[in-house]
């Protein structure tokens, strides 16, 4: 599938750990970092004897705007609103590593932002880079949810919305088939949100969130396969004092 996101790809074929970290400064600026790591013990159980036969090495780093500049002829073919969407990713730094020798499989996405509302849906970064490189039409993508963020100085919101019900049903089916086949292996499938705020936390919409001793950070963990079937479960509202 041309637009199968790396988020879905990793959970479909390996154990995976995804960590999303946001740090907000007093002036509203900050940094967001999203890491996707293949969990080697889980993957080894899935791959069996093929695990030792892997022979791949890739270690690349790029800034998203490099794709806009390099494939500018393709970029200019997109509609103005599509170009604006891509520009939201312009300063996202991407580091991808695949090493069968070191047994390391990782994606990292980092963005320094001036306002929380500038944070794009980082899970689509690689797909959009591929769109520009190959001149793919955005109307053909099969992303089924969108993530957005907002912070007004007191209330932080993580907003997840379903944008394609058909693709959501496909994702549910794939996830259920995967769990039926490999659920007994108890693979690591963690999805962790780590958020750090400039003031004390007054309340959190999800009661399962763990608040740090200084009341300025929280950690919330989900089962990744659950999130794929119901992305809106990761919606979150945090009110500061």
């Amino acid at each position: 599938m041309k637009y199968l996101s790396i988020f879905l790809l990793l959970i479909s074929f390996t154990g995976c750990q995804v960590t999303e970290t946001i740090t907000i400064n007093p002036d509203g600026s900050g940094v967001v970092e999203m890491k996707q790591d293949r969990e080697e013990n889980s993957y080894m159980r899935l791959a069996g004897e093929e695990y030792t036969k892997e022979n791949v090495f890739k270690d690349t780093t790029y800034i998203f705007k490099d794709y806009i500049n390099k494939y500018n002829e393709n970029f200019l073919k997109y509609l103005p609103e599509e170009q604006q969407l891509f520009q939201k990713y312009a300063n996202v730094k991407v580091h991808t590593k695949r090493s069968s020798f070191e047994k390391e499989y990782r994606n990292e996405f980092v963005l320094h932002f001036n306002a929380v509302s500038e944070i794009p849906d980082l899970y689509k970064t690689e797909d959009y880079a591929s769109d520009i490189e190959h001149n793919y039409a955005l109307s053909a993508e099969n992303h089924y949810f969108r993530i957005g963020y907002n912070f007004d100085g007191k209330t932080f919101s993580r907003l997840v919305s379903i944008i394609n019900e058909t693709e959501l049903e496909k994702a549910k089916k794939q996830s259920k088939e995967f769990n039926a086949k490999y659920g007994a292996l108890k693979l690591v499938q963690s999805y962790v949100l780590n958020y750090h705020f400039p003031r004390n936390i007054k309340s959190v919409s999800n009661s399962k969130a763990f608040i740090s001793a200084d009341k300025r950070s929280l950690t919330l963990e989900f089962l990744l396969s659950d999130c794929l079937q119901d992305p809106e479960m990761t919606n979150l509202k945090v009110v500061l004092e």
Side-chain angles (χ1 to χ4, degrees):
M1 296 172 64
K2 184 168 61 178
Y3 287 92
L4 183 65
S5 70
I6 189 67
F7 183 46
L8 182 56
L9 183 64
L10 286 172
I11 187 60
S12 295
F13 300 106
T14 71
C16 183
Q17 295 173 306
V18 177
T19 305
E20 177 183 301
T21 302
I22 298 177
T23 301
I24 304 174
N25 301 321
D27 65 355
S29 66
V31 60
V32 56
E33 180 179 31
M34 195 264 286
K35 294 183 178 180
Q36 300 167 324
D37 291 280
R38 189 175 79 180
E39 206 287 315
E40 291 304 302
N41 287 330
S42 295
Y43 178 71
M44 183 168 57
R45 278 180 284 169
L46 283 175
E49 62 182 30
E50 295 300 316
Y51 184 73
T52 59
K53 299 178 183 179
E54 281 189 335
N55 184 22
V56 61
F57 181 81
K58 178 182 181 181
D59 194 344
T60 60
T61 299
Y62 65 88
I63 307 296
F64 189 90
K65 61 184 175 184
D66 295 341
Y67 275 75
I68 294 177
N69 295 331
K70 183 176 181 180
Y71 303 102
N72 193 249
E73 185 176 342
N74 289 343
F75 174 75
L76 294 175
K77 294 177 183 177
Y78 288 97
L79 297 173
E81 56 268 29
E82 294 174 332
Q83 293 181 20
Q84 290 178 3
L85 172 63
F86 288 139
Q87 289 290 1
K88 285 197 68 173
Y89 292 79
N91 294 315
V92 175
K93 182 179 180 180
V94 182
H95 177 218
T96 300
K97 185 172 183 179
R98 313 275 190 271
S99 175
S100 53
F101 177 75
E102 298 172 275
K103 297 304 178 186
E104 188 175 358
Y105 190 106
R106 173 180 297 176
N107 291 325
E108 296 179 354
F109 307 86
V110 179
L111 174 68
H112 293 268
F113 56 83
N114 294 315
V116 169
S117 58
E118 296 177 1
I119 301 174
D121 190 344
L122 292 177
Y123 300 95
K124 297 174 181 160
T125 305
E126 289 187 302
D127 283 352
Y128 286 154
S130 180
D131 287 339
I132 296 174
E133 179 180 0
H134 301 288
N135 195 28
Y136 291 152
L138 290 187
S139 59
E141 67 182 28
N142 64 6
H143 299 136
Y144 58 93
F145 64 91
R146 179 187 296 119
I147 304 176
Y149 307 84
N150 190 44
F151 180 59
D152 62 8
K154 184 177 181 179
T155 302
F156 168 87
S157 299
R158 184 183 199 271
L159 307 168
V160 183
S161 55
I162 302 301
I163 58 175
N164 190 321
E165 292 287 348
T166 300
E167 293 301 331
L168 171 62
E169 292 305 313
K170 289 181 181 179
K172 286 181 178 180
K173 182 179 178 181
Q174 287 179 320
S175 184
K176 289 178 181 178
E177 290 174 349
F178 180 85
N179 286 332
K181 188 173 183 178
Y182 299 110
L185 296 179
K186 298 187 182 301
L187 306 174
V188 173
Q189 300 177 356
S190 64
Y191 183 27
V192 181
L193 306 180
N194 288 322
Y195 294 155
H196 308 278
F197 300 97
R199 300 199 311 280
N200 289 3
I201 297 171
K202 181 179 180 180
S203 65
V204 183
S205 60
N206 192 316
S207 61
K208 295 182 180 180
F210 174 79
I211 300 176
S212 64
D214 66 1
K215 295 186 178 181
R216 294 197 173 193
S217 300
L218 68 81
T219 300
L220 184 57
E221 185 169 352
F222 302 91
L223 187 65
L224 191 49
S225 56
D226 288 346
C227 297
L228 286 173
Q229 296 183 64
D230 181 16
E232 292 177 316
M233 71 184 297
T234 64
N235 278 326
L236 190 68
K237 179 177 288 188
V238 182
V239 179
L240 306 184
E241 293 183 351

